[in-house]
Amino acid sequence: MSGDNVDSTSVILLKCTGCGKAYKVHPEKLPRGVTSFPCRACGSLIPIDGINQVADPSGKQQVVIIVVEEKDLAQLIERILVRHGYRGLSVHSGREAVELIHRGHVDLVLISVFLPDMMGYEILDAINEGRKDGSRVPSILLSSVHHAARYKRAPTSLYGADDYLERHHLPDLLIPKIQRLLDSDGSGKPAVDPGMLPPPADEQVRERREIEDLEMREETGGDPVLEDIRRLCRVIAGDIALYNEDVIRATTPGRILEAIAHDLNEGEALLDRKFPGKGELTSQLLRKEMANLLESRGITIS
């Protein structure tokens, strides 16, 4: 994206906040929906135009920050937003999300339950605590739902978010949920009922298949390594915590793992399918990640 062979009247100069490397960018030549790019020197994400330029508080175009680890999924979400007139800016870690949101105006945050460096609820706390005017950023928590057939129920706590969404419902429910929160203050408007929506359009069907392909790609990657196992364990632990908040709050710390044993067993079964022959290791790591997650919320189980 750098270079001098472009018309200087249509070029914007961007600088990486991580290492200071400068880039000359020609926005009109970028693919539709692209709103950021990684720095070639340090890998930090650089938003195109800068958030203060693309987010118009007057309502000209509303900006949604997408906080998910997977770049392919972020691009799919950006396409959905662009098609409905929103501007999407993607980041892939909690640190990047907090820095980006504190730099300028944001209308809504779509944030994954699990990020490589922080849990979704930790990022929401950091975002809202750091706002000088004391206002809250409307937010939707995105669940990975590692076993969709099991979790056909609403989570018992949103950890400070205003709504939640399961990944396989991104094509049909994302926009209605955003509209519910942004068209007014969200209060008094009923939750979006999937049964009341019209049949999916062809584009929505294609996008749902893309999500299924992304999930399948995560489950098939050849021989596993320790970090692959740990990452999936963290994803599963995050889902279990999201859908069992009432159980966790009502159970004494020493018996929490026993109370959520059924969900842990299902997580172990998924790990065993992905990493055959690693049963003892995956079981230990899943319980360790579950304990780490609980400890991050002030709950010590041993």
Side-chain angles (χ1 to χ4, degrees):
M1 291 190 181
S2 59
D4 297 321
N5 299 322
V6 289
D7 181 359
S8 61
T9 61
S10 59
V11 170
I12 57 174
L13 181 65
L14 301 178
K15 182 175 288 188
C16 175
T17 58
C19 68
K21 183 176 176 62
Y23 293 86
K24 290 181 179 180
V25 179
H26 195 307
E28 295 180 357
K29 294 185 178 180
L30 294 171
R32 180 176 175 81
V34 172
T35 56
S36 58
F37 64 93
C39 175
R40 293 173 179 170
C42 70
S44 297
L45 199 70
I46 304 173
I48 297 170
D49 293 335
I51 191 169
N52 287 314
Q53 293 176 296
V54 300
D56 185 355
S58 68
K60 183 177 179 181
Q61 188 174 40
Q62 293 173 310
V63 174
V64 176
I65 303 299
I66 306 159
V67 193
V68 299
E69 181 181 8
E70 305 91 337
K71 293 182 180 180
D72 289 345
L73 180 63
Q75 291 172 359
L76 184 149
I77 296 171
E78 285 187 16
R79 292 207 312 269
I80 296 174
L81 293 170
V82 167
R83 194 165 68 243
H84 291 84
Y86 296 98
R87 183 67 181 268
L89 292 174
S90 298
V91 293
H92 307 290
S93 71
R95 177 185 60 81
E96 290 176 314
V98 174
E99 290 178 356
L100 183 60
I101 292 168
H102 285 172
R103 284 214 303 270
H105 176 82
V106 177
D107 291 287
L108 184 139
V109 181
L110 175 67
I111 186 166
S112 177
V113 173
F114 162 79
L115 273 299
D117 56 342
M118 301 171 70
M119 299 302 292
Y121 71 89
E122 294 176 316
I123 302 170
L124 288 175
D125 288 345
I127 289 170
N128 291 316
E129 288 174 2
R131 291 180 71 79
K132 296 179 181 179
D133 59 2
S135 63
R136 290 182 66 259
V137 180
S139 54
I140 298 175
L141 204 59
L142 182 63
S143 169
S144 57
V145 189
H146 70 274
H147 197 309
R150 170 75 173 95
Y151 292 123
K152 285 300 180 183
R153 64 183 190 272
T156 52
S157 174
L158 298 182
Y159 300 99
D162 297 292
D163 206 341
Y164 85 104
L165 180 64
E166 296 172 353
R167 291 191 181 196
H168 58 282
H169 276 307
L170 277 166
D172 52 339
L173 293 186
L174 175 61
I175 298 304
K177 285 178 178 287
I178 290 176
Q179 291 172 340
R180 173 179 175 266
L181 293 174
L182 295 186
D183 287 354
S184 68
D185 61 3
S187 61
K189 283 195 171 186
V192 179
D193 182 0
M196 300 298 291
L197 297 175
D202 290 345
E203 187 68 24
Q204 292 175 320
V205 172
R206 286 194 293 270
E207 288 164 348
R208 181 166 289 191
R209 286 175 179 168
E210 282 188 54
I211 294 172
E212 291 172 354
D213 289 342
L214 289 173
E215 293 174 347
M216 182 63 69
R217 199 182 309 162
E218 288 186 359
E219 294 188 11
T220 59
D223 294 333
V225 296
L226 184 59
E227 286 305 314
D228 291 333
I229 298 174
R230 285 177 174 166
R231 181 185 176 281
L232 184 54
C233 285
R234 290 192 68 194
V235 171
I236 294 172
D239 269 1
I240 291 175
L242 176 66
Y243 288 92
N244 287 279
E245 176 68 8
D246 53 346
V247 176
I248 292 171
R249 288 184 179 275
T251 306
T252 56
R255 304 196 65 179
I256 288 177
L257 294 186
E258 178 183 346
I260 59 176
H262 183 75
D263 296 76
L264 287 170
N265 290 339
E266 287 199 342
E268 288 178 357
L270 173 63
L271 288 161
D272 189 55
R273 290 195 298 272
K274 182 171 175 61
F275 305 106
K278 302 285 186 180
E280 183 176 351
L281 174 63
T282 55
S283 177
Q284 292 175 353
L285 288 176
L286 177 58
R287 279 161 172 72
K288 181 179 179 181
E289 292 298 337
M290 194 76 232
N292 289 342
L293 188 154
L294 293 170
E295 187 173 348
S296 74
R297 297 172 52 207
I299 302 172
T300 303
I301 63 175
S302 60

